[in-house]
């Protein structure tokens, strides 16, 4: 209970300045999930991102293939591949994902899932090469009767490694070049999932992204300002998202008994 309370405090602190951010985006996703058996699920997802505050400009489009395997009722593994296209620059990036998750019930009605996710990105991604991500999710154990809703809150904390070096400056103003490794991003998701029927679900969610220099030495920071020109290197990317996801769940047909 104490740990759950701490997570809620982090979420409230994170949300305090979220709505003050000017940029809003819209993420629309379609997902097809296939249950191979009771332990293994496959998912194919297509996401489209639009900038609401910039005449609904298409930011990026993302396709992913994901496999989830339950080792037992508490522990699960995930492997995924993700392809992202950025229309404005014509750039395409790819990443591989591995995740380890542990789920338990701190209260009878509450499920708490904690995950460690590792990512490796292709050379076209210049901001980082690898990322280690801590994911903490609180959700109800059972759906509400009203619209068969399942509310959840999820917090992501990102640790970046590698990417293209950027300019840093020492106390004398001399330039150095190094990669901005460290804790530089968090995301907060507030999600409402409604189970329409046995095969179809709809999720509506709000997401806030923050970027920062947390526990970061001077030569690993982002958002570095040149003391001469005032130019900002690797500026923070902060924004809000309103999203909707349609989920189609398919299952392997049961063999008919003779």
């Amino acid at each position: 209970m104490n740990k759950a309370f701490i997570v809620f405090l982090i979420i409230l602190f994170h949300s305090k300045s979220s709505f003050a951010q000017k940029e809003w985006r819209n993420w629309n996703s379609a997902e097809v999930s296939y249950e191979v058996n009771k332990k293994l699920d496959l998912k194919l997802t297509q996401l489209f991102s639009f900038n609401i505050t910039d005449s609904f400009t298409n930011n990026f489009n993302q396709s992913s293939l994901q496999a989830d395997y339950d080792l037992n009722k508490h522990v699960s593994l995930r492997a995924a591949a993700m392809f992202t296209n950025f229309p404005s620059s014509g750039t395409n990036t790819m990443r591989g994902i591995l995740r380890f998750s542990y789920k338990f019930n701190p209260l009878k009605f509450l499920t708490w899932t904690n995950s460690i996710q590792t990512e490796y990105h292709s050379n076209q991604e210049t901001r980082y090469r690898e990322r280690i991500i801590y994911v903490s999710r609180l959700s109800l154990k059972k759906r509400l009767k009203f619209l068969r809703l399942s509310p959840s809150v999820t917090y992501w904390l990102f640790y970046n490694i590698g990417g293209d070096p950027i300019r840093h400056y020492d106390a004398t103003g001399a330039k150095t070049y190094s990669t901005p490794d460290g804790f530089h991003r968090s995301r907060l998701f507030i999600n409402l999932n409604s189970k329409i029927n046995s095969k179809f679900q709809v999720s509506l969610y709000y997401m806030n992204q923050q970027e920062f220099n947390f526990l970061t030495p001077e030569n690993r920071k982002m958002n570095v300002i040149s003391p001469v020109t005032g130019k900002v290197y690797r500026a923070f990317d902060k924004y809000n998202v309103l999203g909707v996801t349609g989920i189609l769940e398919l299952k392997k047909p049961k063999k008919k008994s003779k």
Side-chain angles (χ1 to χ4, degrees), residues 129-195:
R129 187 67 59 242
E130 295 130 35
R131 292 195 298 189
I132 301 171
I133 307 168
Y134 168 66
V135 183
S136 185
R137 181 176 184 268
L138 288 171
S139 60
L140 294 181
K141 188 177 180 180
K142 294 183 179 180
R143 290 180 178 272
L144 302 174
K145 290 183 179 180
F146 177 70
L147 297 178
R148 301 184 72 186
L149 285 177
S150 177
S152 63
V153 178
T154 309
Y155 185 78
W156 295 51
L157 179 63
F158 297 73
Y159 187 93
N160 298 345
I161 303 171
D164 288 354
I166 64 172
R167 293 182 184 181
H168 293 88
Y169 300 85
D170 62 20
T172 65
K175 289 185 293 186
T176 60
Y177 291 85
S178 56
T179 57
D181 300 352
F183 292 104
H184 290 302
R185 176 182 291 180
S186 67
R187 283 180 173 176
L188 171 68
F189 289 85
I190 300 173
N191 183 70
L192 283 176
N193 175 276
S194 176
K195 191 163 187 175

Side-chain angles (χ1 to χ4, degrees), residues 33-89:
S33 174
Y34 179 68
E35 183 183 273
V36 179
N37 52 49
K38 291 184 178 181
K39 288 183 173 291
L40 178 63
D41 287 323
L42 301 178
K43 293 181 181 179
L44 182 64
T45 305
Q46 179 65 47
L47 181 150
F48 300 94
S49 172
F50 302 93
N51 192 330
I52 298 174
T53 50
D54 186 22
S55 304
F56 273 86
T57 303
N58 185 202
N59 298 107
F60 65 85
N61 305 307
Q62 196 169 79
S63 305
S64 62
L65 177 62
Q66 173 181 311
D68 290 306
Y69 186 79
D70 294 329
L71 294 176
N72 53 51
K73 67 178 182 179
H74 295 293
V75 180
S76 63
L77 301 175
R78 172 178 297 175
M82 191 173 289
F83 174 86
T84 307
N85 167 256
F86 299 90
S88 60
S89 64

Side-chain angles (χ1 to χ4, degrees), residues 199-216:
K199 292 185 177 181
F200 189 66
Q201 299 179 27
V202 174
S203 285
L204 299 175
Y205 61 91
Y206 162 76
M207 190 277 282
N208 172 260
Q209 175 169 296
Q210 296 284 339
E211 290 199 329
F212 39 71
N213 293 310
F214 179 59
L215 301 176
T216 309

